[in-house]
Amino acid sequence: MEENYPMLSVEDALSQFLDYFHALEPERVPVLDGVNRVLAEDIVAAYDIPPHANSAMDGYAVRAEDMAGARDDAPRRLRVAGELAAGYTRDAPLEPETAIRIMTGAPIPPGADAVIPFEETTREGDAILVTRRYPHNANIRAAGEDVRAGETVLAKGTVLRPQEIGMLAAMGQTEVAVIRRPRVAILSTGDEVVDASEPLTAGKIRDANGYSVAAAVVKYGGVPIRLGIARDRVEELTTRIRAGLAQRADLFVTSGGVSVGDFDVVKQVLAAEGEIAFWRVRMKPGKPLAFGTIQGVPLLGLPGNPVSALMSFELFGRPALLKMQGKTRLAKPTIEATLVDEIKHKDNRRHYVRVRLETRGGETFAHLTGDQGSGILLSMVRADGIAIIPEALKRVEAGARVRVMMLDWTEV
Ligand code: AMP
Ligand code: MG
């Protein structure tokens, strides 16, 4: 079997893999459920925002022409003829030589064409004194100054952030069309693996992957369908995978059972029930990574070691989830950092090394988070980035600059 499937570079594997995924269909959801999701329609403003000219300050609405000639030594006196709070309107036109007390956001009364802030006036009985001229439209926010009726405010394909959600609400939208979330079936394998809720008897370990992968699915916008743990038997795994497929998954993820051990049955089932596209990638951790389709559903077979499983999911599962959600920026953000510890590198696989970042004196340093074994989940727990060590390097000196993929940068 080995000979039929060459070991692919990370890039080749990723590009073959991502070709299987496309943006899913849109669905209508309440606007707040649209956050971090991709807009599936153009949003055109039905009316102006703000809908009416309104005051930008707390002050007095006036007729600018009434202040022609106003000076320190020749103030103009305007009688205060009323008051207008935000949320109310006034229909009576402003009479010459009068002012209306007006609050920020209140519609400009007819006839008024400037607002004088309180602090620039002197109150005298039922009047105010004004000592300078104001231009037409001073301190007035025009109708439509934010958004004009008919304007395309949000384009299809936009990722909805809090500001876009606010804009939708400002336009009176209670629902929005976004690409639906991908459904991801998750099955752990291994006779030794038991659930966190089960007793830990001799020879057993608890299922970390079923949870870490489900958590990553949620983090990257998908809906996990947790299928539990399958024993290392071809018949059982086949039955479990068929049952999982009945749950309309867009992606099936298994963990364990993809290396060359006697009980590595995921590959066998994938070959028997569907088609294998590749199963070895030149990377560490995570070399045995199986990929194929069963009944047209892509199946990603992660290795069993908890770090390999999660790292492979970050590298492959994450961009697939983003692509299915209609996102186009699929690469994880990276930064440059100075390596604090030396890294030895024996084979020509790409190494993904767990690091903790520290910024000192304007420079970012990357510290290894300890033992880099693929079963050492704690080194992943302590990491905030993954240093990418190119295949060709045999050794990276302390002090070298390395590229670090950020684990926790906001996902957009
Ligand atoms: P495998 O890929 O099935 O050969 O598993 C490789 C290693 O990962 C073995 O030591 C397994 O016990 C361990 N392992 C497999 N699945 C899990 C899991 N779901 N959670 C934690 N460790 C696992
Ligand atoms: Mg196993």
Side-chain angles (χ1 to χ4, degrees), residues 188-189 192-193 205-210 255-259 264 303-306:
S188 301
T189 71
E192 76 281 30
V193 182
I205 58 163
R206 290 221 171 89
D207 178 16
N209 303 342
S255 75
V258 287
S259 45
D264 289 325
N305 276 306

Side-chain angles (χ1 to χ4, degrees), residues 177-201:
V178 292
I179 305 289
R180 75 169 170 87
R181 296 184 182 282
R183 293 166 55 82
V184 183
I186 302 164
L187 181 65
S188 301
T189 71
D191 284 2
E192 76 281 30
V193 182
V194 300
D195 187 73
S197 60
E198 293 174 55
L200 196 61
T201 53

Side-chain angles (χ1 to χ4, degrees), residues 369-408:
T369 56
D371 188 333
Q372 295 289 315
S374 53
I376 311 295
L377 192 52
L378 201 53
S379 65
M380 196 76 173
V381 167
R382 301 210 162 117
D384 36 34
I386 303 293
I388 304 166
I389 310 300
E391 291 81 340
L393 294 183
K394 289 289 160 267
R395 184 173 156 203
V396 188
E397 309 270 351
R401 300 284 283 167
V402 289
R403 252 270 122 239
V404 178
M405 189 172 92
M406 301 300 296
L407 279 177
D408 298 311

Side-chain angles (χ1 to χ4, degrees), residues 1 5 27 41 104 126 140 152 173 182 195 216 274 287-288 295 305 338 340 351 356 382 397 400:
M1 193 170 205
Y5 297 97
E27 63 178 357
E41 58 184 345
T104 305
D126 68 349
I140 290 179
T152 299
Q173 298 245 350
D195 187 73
K287 176 175 75 172
Q295 294 173 21
N305 276 306
T338 304
V340 176
H351 280 213
R356 176 177 61 76
R382 301 210 162 117
E397 309 270 351

